[in-house]
Amino acid sequence: MAKQDFDFAKATEEFFGAFKMDTKMFDDAAKNAAEFNVKLGKIALEAAKKNAELTNAWTAEALKSVEAANKIQKDPSAYATVASDFASAQAQAMPEKLSAYAEVAKAAQLEAVELFVAAGKDVQAEVVAATKDVAAKAKAA
């Protein structure tokens, strides 16, 4: 394979340099987008961790029930009773477990909405400041 010496970052910098414009706006936008994505990713990762903890706990409880039921029964019909009791216990636990997952999702959703609202306010403040700056420069010219 041929050696590639193309430096995309340098080429991009030279390209924008040829237009004699201020690239600070682009740099700031990239930085702000990266910060926003990190915050949003943190929310998603925290929700995923909590869901994993819930799943592990639920699995451990289910295995504990299976372990308790894993005994030799004297009467063959007792196996049906054991299986029925296990299924009934799992069915009764399910609403509580699913509710816990829903709470994690709700909390993550609220955090995400707060992040979006804050980002919207920041963008609005930047637009207002930029508009005032352009108006002031136009007035001075």
Side-chain angles (χ1 to χ4, degrees), residues 27-47:
D27 294 340
D28 289 346
K31 179 182 167 237
N32 290 341
E35 289 174 356
F36 178 82
N37 287 334
V38 166
K39 290 175 184 176
L40 195 59
K42 191 180 275 187
I43 292 168
L45 288 171
E46 190 61 34

Side-chain angles (χ1 to χ4, degrees), residues 43-44 47 103-113:
I43 292 168
E103 288 299 318
V104 170
K106 186 169 117 180
Q109 183 181 23
L110 286 174
E111 284 184 58
V113 167

Side-chain angles (χ1 to χ4, degrees), residues 91-111:
Q92 288 177 353
M94 191 175 294
E96 177 186 333
K97 303 299 182 185
L98 294 179
S99 176
Y101 286 112
E103 288 299 318
V104 170
K106 186 169 117 180
Q109 183 181 23
L110 286 174
E111 284 184 58

Side-chain angles (χ1 to χ4, degrees), residues 9-23 26:
K10 184 177 178 185
T12 304
E13 188 176 313
E14 289 173 358
F15 174 79
F16 282 114
F19 289 103
K20 304 293 181 210
M21 60 186 223
D22 184 13
T23 61
F26 296 111

Side-chain angles (χ1 to χ4, degrees), residues 55-102:
T55 300
N56 288 337
W58 193 357
T59 302
E61 288 175 23
L63 291 173
K64 198 180 228 184
S65 296
V66 169
E67 185 178 33
N70 189 26
K71 295 180 181 161
I72 296 175
Q73 304 295 325
K74 293 179 183 178
D75 183 22
S77 65
Y79 288 105
T81 303
V82 168
S84 175
D85 290 347
F86 174 77
S88 176
Q90 291 303 306
Q92 288 177 353
M94 191 175 294
E96 177 186 333
K97 303 299 182 185
L98 294 179
S99 176
Y101 286 112

